[in-house]
Amino acid sequence: MASASHRRSLRKRRTLVVSAAVVAAGVGAGAVVMNANAGTVDLYHQTLAAKDGWASSGTGTTGGSKAGSAHTFTVSTRAQLVKALGSVSDTTPRIIKVKGTIDANTDDAGKKLTCANYASGTGYSLTSYLKAYDPATYGRSKLPSGTQETARAAAQKKQAANIVFKVPANTTIVGEPGTNAGISGGMLQIQNVDNVIVRNLTFAATEDCFPQWDPTDGDDGNWNSNYDAVTLRGATHVWADHNTFTDAPHLDSANPEYFGREYQIHDGALDITKSSDLVTVSRNRFTNHDKTMLIGSSDSEPSGKLRVSIHHNVWKGIVQRAPLARVGQVHIYNNLYDVTTLNGYAVQYSINSRAKAQVVAANNYWTVPSGVKVAKLLSGDGTGAIAGSGNLVNGTATDLVAAYNAASSKDLKTTVNWTPTLTAGLETSASSVKNLPASLATTTGAGVLS
């Protein structure tokens, strides 16, 4: 969390239109209100700035800014959050202020729930599951089926009923400053709704008690889990800003191995799938995580959607998918990627463009330790494109695509079919990009806004 000297009070600022020059001077994109006729607007009623990424397109993203007092809630428990969210079909604007850390793995009375509670009554046990699907006896040619797999699915369903929070349209969810606001062990599900804002929250410890064994996944099989910290599925006009995403306190290094593969209990941090569209992801911190951001869940998703802007975020201790992009038009700018191994999280790649994705990655900064090749920072399947310039590696201008293509048999394409225009806050000068490690250190993640 930034010290008080770095906080920016929204209540004391007069509204104005933020220019790129102001952002370059140190005011975070989206840190002040854009509506010149609205007067001073507090954090909870703030809307996305004009031209601030894809989520500002069309009707823009206003969340629950029009909520009345009857639909403005302060919540500090799981039960209160569920009540404040209400029915996902209710589109009445609402503002939800999260005070402190909400533990999703609690019952309505606040009692702590464990994996054993979710498994109770289903017949599932990990010992029995491992015995039933040991590749030495079950084989590797088909997914698990039968009594224990049915029990596992039932236990997983019980957990989902408790930790998945379904967000309605026209909703703003904001962490109350100074309270260490966040959600532990839960998932915000933004599905088939429009106009949602999520800000100033720490998402931690989103864990699946009941990963599924898939012997057909890869050469050696894999354990696959459910639950992203925040998941967008068919959602439109979403602004995720000044949040922190982490596996902590249970890091992947603590996961056991079964059948020779890591028993993975974490899925994505912020996934944008199922033809979601018009999304801006700004000034977040992603840390201590493997599969971090998936844009497009399938190579066959239809074209014309999955338009996402990703800017002024910090990615540190991230293994992969920062992001992995499919199909859509994705603008990635002014991000900081520190690919130094952290707590056992060692980089595989940062950005992956596949399934004809049209990615513009420009004016980003990579901190790369000795021993990590620049060619390793990108990935693709031979159909995706990554255009853009002004990227720096350890302060030096570097053509990342050329480095990748020189070492790969599946070249990334270097031209795209679109030109970004929704670029409020874009910093293009070499001096500004060189300053990203310093400037983003105090302007990203939860706990900065006030």
Side-chain angles (χ1 to χ4, degrees):
M1 179 182 295
S3 64
S5 63
H6 292 125
R7 293 179 181 272
R8 293 176 171 80
S9 175
L10 299 176
R11 299 174 182 84
K12 295 179 181 178
R13 294 181 185 270
R14 301 178 67 86
T15 59
L16 56 121
V17 176
V18 174
S19 67
V22 172
V23 174
V27 179
V32 289
V33 179
M34 292 292 112
N35 187 345
N37 299 315
T40 301
V41 179
D42 63 35
L43 173 64
Y44 308 109
H45 292 84
Q46 186 178 346
T47 61
L48 179 63
K51 296 187 177 181
D52 188 351
W54 275 116
S56 67
S57 181
T59 57
T61 302
T62 60
S65 60
K66 296 181 180 179
S69 59
H71 288 89
T72 299
F73 310 91
T74 298
V75 301
S76 57
T77 68
R78 173 192 163 277
Q80 289 171 349
L81 176 58
V82 170
K83 183 177 180 180
L85 287 168
S87 169
V88 73
S89 63
D90 183 355
T91 62
T92 306
R94 71 194 62 221
I95 294 171
I96 300 175
K97 307 175 185 180
V98 177
K99 184 176 183 179
T101 300
I102 292 175
D103 187 347
N105 288 295
T106 52
D107 65 15
D108 289 345
K111 180 182 177 181
K112 180 66 178 178
L113 298 176
T114 67
C115 295
N117 293 117
Y118 299 130
S120 178
T122 66
Y124 172 85
S125 80
L126 178 58
T127 300
S128 298
Y129 191 88
L130 294 174
K131 182 178 180 180
Y133 306 112
D134 186 336
T137 54
Y138 186 79
R140 293 182 176 273
S141 62
K142 60 181 180 178
L143 284 169
S145 63
T147 301
Q148 271 301 302
E149 173 57 21
T150 299
R152 185 205 64 81
Q156 192 175 67
K157 185 177 180 180
K158 285 180 65 177
Q159 183 182 12
N162 210 77
I163 71 168
V164 175
F165 303 106
K166 298 180 180 180
V167 181
N170 306 317
T171 295
T172 292
I173 305 176
V174 180
E176 187 172 302
T179 69
N180 294 318
I183 298 175
S184 174
M187 178 173 87
L188 288 186
Q189 179 176 293
I190 306 170
Q191 181 169 333
N192 298 327
V193 297
D194 180 69
N195 194 28
V196 174
I197 295 173
V198 180
R199 305 182 73 200
N200 205 37
L201 293 166
T202 293
F203 295 93
T206 302
E207 300 168 2
D208 188 347
C209 287
F210 312 102
Q212 182 187 38
W213 169 244
D214 182 353
T216 69
D217 185 353
D219 294 335
D220 302 309
N222 272 306
W223 291 94
N224 295 316
S225 59
N226 277 341
Y227 317 125
D228 311 318
V230 177
T231 189
L232 279 58
R233 303 172 183 173
T236 53
H237 290 109
V238 178
W239 180 29
D241 175 74
H242 279 97
N243 303 294
T244 296
F245 296 84
T246 177
D247 287 350
H250 182 112
L251 305 179
D252 280 355
S253 57
N255 290 340
E257 285 190 0
Y258 300 118
F259 307 150
R261 303 296 289 167
E262 179 184 351
Y263 189 69
Q264 180 57 265
I265 61 174
H266 302 117
D267 196 10
L270 171 56
D271 280 5
I272 303 165
T273 63
K274 305 294 185 183
S275 293
S276 291
D277 198 23
L278 305 177
V279 179
T280 296
V281 180
S282 59
R283 296 193 178 271
N284 302 280
R285 295 185 69 88
F286 298 93
T287 186
N288 293 312
H289 196 81
D290 185 351
K291 300 175 181 178
T292 305
M293 182 183 293
L294 181 64
I295 300 177
S297 54
S298 168
D299 288 357
S300 61
E301 289 202 32
S303 61
K305 303 230 176 136
L306 295 172
R307 292 174 289 180
V308 181
S309 297
I310 302 168
H311 71 81
H312 293 91
N313 302 281
V314 172
W315 312 77
K316 186 173 183 177
I318 297 303
V319 177
Q320 59 182 316
R321 298 186 182 179
L324 184 157
R326 291 183 169 104
V327 179
Q329 295 174 332
V330 181
H331 193 196
I332 304 170
Y333 63 94
N334 295 154
N335 296 276
L336 170 63
Y337 293 89
D338 185 342
V339 300
T340 307
T341 297
L342 178 67
N343 296 321
Y345 293 91
V347 66
Q348 291 183 14
Y349 65 82
S350 296
I351 300 171
N352 184 319
S353 179
R354 60 187 302 112
K356 299 182 180 180
Q358 303 290 299
V359 176
V360 176
N363 307 110
N364 301 288
Y365 191 107
W366 271 265
T367 297
V368 180
S370 60
V372 176
K373 296 180 179 180
V374 173
K376 194 175 183 179
L377 302 179
L378 303 181
S379 185
D381 67 348
T383 71
I386 298 181
S389 60
N391 295 301
L392 303 184
V393 175
N394 296 336
T396 300
T398 305
D399 188 336
L400 300 177
V401 176
Y404 171 80
N405 285 348
S408 173
S409 61
K410 296 182 178 181
D411 284 2
L412 287 161
K413 300 181 186 305
T414 58
T415 59
V416 295
N417 62 7
W418 69 295
T419 300
T421 58
L422 303 172
T423 57
L426 172 63
E427 301 171 72
T428 59
S429 71
S431 60
S432 294
V433 178
K434 283 184 177 180
N435 192 49
L436 285 173
S439 64
L440 296 184
T442 56
T443 59
T444 57
V448 174
L449 298 176
S450 62

